[in-house]
Amino acid sequence: MLRRITSLLCLSLAGWHAQAQTVLDPALIERVRQLAETAARATAPPGTRVAVETGQLDPRLRLAPCQQVQPYLPPGMAAWGRSRIGLRCTDGVARWNVTLPVRVAVYGRAVVASGPLPAGVNLSQEHLALADIDIAAEPGAVFTDPAQLIGRTLARPLGAADALRAPALKSRQWFAAGETVQVLAVGPGFSVASEAQALSAGIEGQDVRVRFDSGRIAAGRAVGERRVELPL
């Protein structure tokens, strides 16, 4: 009986010790927060405020004791919104590598809907307002000047105080197929302007093919009213 009790006690202590490895040192949490904040500030617009909330490691993890843990931002991981910071053991009984969830908020002034707006509405000044929001809460660029949105059409409905983000707007058609367009060929340190005929409609931000007077056909991107940019 004594042997059984001792065994159970040892197992309990071992389980407690393994679980304790998922509780991170406050100093390490602060390093994680500073790393996430620095990464966010590198791309945040001027005048914005960054706030970082750290989550917890998966309680099912069983990490070996480690004397030195290095936090890092994994390649390709977003610096805004819901993301993860890597934690790498560089000095311990066993080398391990895990990620810790973080939420990075970037507060700034942006254009929002002044009230509920249905899809298809043609935006006017009365539909728009300015407010301090978390611009990292959702994907898509925000706007800081209401004048940029006057005349644009909503692709989906918005609630009151929802941010006006690029994905919520219908793409504009800059020109129709058959129209003559200005083509700007851009290369390292130079640019050349010429005219061509559009072979399809020029939708904002989408690729379009054009034909030059010589008969050569090239693909560029519709960037403005009867304007195409052709990277070289």
Side-chain angles (χ1 to χ4, degrees):
M1 178 64 71
L2 180 60
R3 183 179 301 173
R4 183 178 180 184
I5 293 175
T6 303
S7 298
L8 289 173
L9 180 61
C10 290
L11 287 173
S12 298
L13 289 174
W16 176 85
H17 179 71
Q19 186 177 11
Q21 301 308 308
T22 65
V23 179
L24 300 178
D25 182 77
L28 177 59
I29 291 292
E30 179 60 20
R31 289 167 59 201
V32 167
R33 192 195 65 77
Q34 290 179 0
L35 175 62
E37 182 175 334
T38 299
R41 288 192 183 282
T43 54
T48 54
R49 178 174 62 87
V50 176
V52 179
E53 294 180 4
T54 57
Q56 296 180 342
L57 290 177
D58 188 333
R60 295 170 298 180
L61 290 174
R62 295 295 180 260
L63 304 178
C66 184
Q67 300 300 317
Q68 184 65 39
V69 180
Q70 177 188 17
Y72 68 96
L73 184 66
M77 192 64 68
W80 291 16
R82 296 191 180 279
S83 186
R84 303 187 79 86
I85 295 294
L87 297 175
R88 181 189 296 123
C89 177
T90 59
D91 181 12
V93 176
R95 302 298 174 91
W96 44 258
N97 196 341
V98 297
T99 59
L100 178 71
V102 295
R103 178 180 175 273
V104 182
V106 181
Y107 295 101
R109 201 154 183 80
V111 181
V112 300
S114 59
L117 299 176
V121 69
N122 196 31
L123 294 174
S124 62
Q125 185 65 51
E126 65 181 8
H127 297 133
L128 308 172
L130 286 170
D132 290 321
I133 64 168
D134 177 10
I135 63 178
E138 297 178 21
V142 297
F143 296 85
T144 57
D145 182 3
Q148 296 176 299
L149 296 167
I150 303 300
R152 299 294 300 272
T153 303
L154 279 184
R156 58 179 176 84
L158 293 178
D162 283 353
L164 269 294
R165 298 178 184 269
L169 302 171
K170 283 189 175 180
S171 298
R172 291 171 285 194
Q173 180 173 323
W174 293 120
F175 49 84
E179 286 193 85
T180 299
V181 296
Q182 296 292 320
V183 179
L184 184 65
V186 181
F190 74 93
S191 62
V192 178
S194 58
E195 289 188 344
Q197 183 185 41
L199 298 181
S200 59
I203 306 301
E204 180 181 18
Q206 295 185 13
D207 291 341
V208 60
R209 294 199 308 160
V210 297
R211 179 168 53 216
F212 295 94
D213 291 341
S214 64
R216 184 172 71 91
I217 295 177
R221 177 156 295 187
V223 295
E225 195 73 34
R226 294 186 177 87
R227 291 192 295 116
V228 173
E229 190 172 280
L230 180 65
L232 297 178

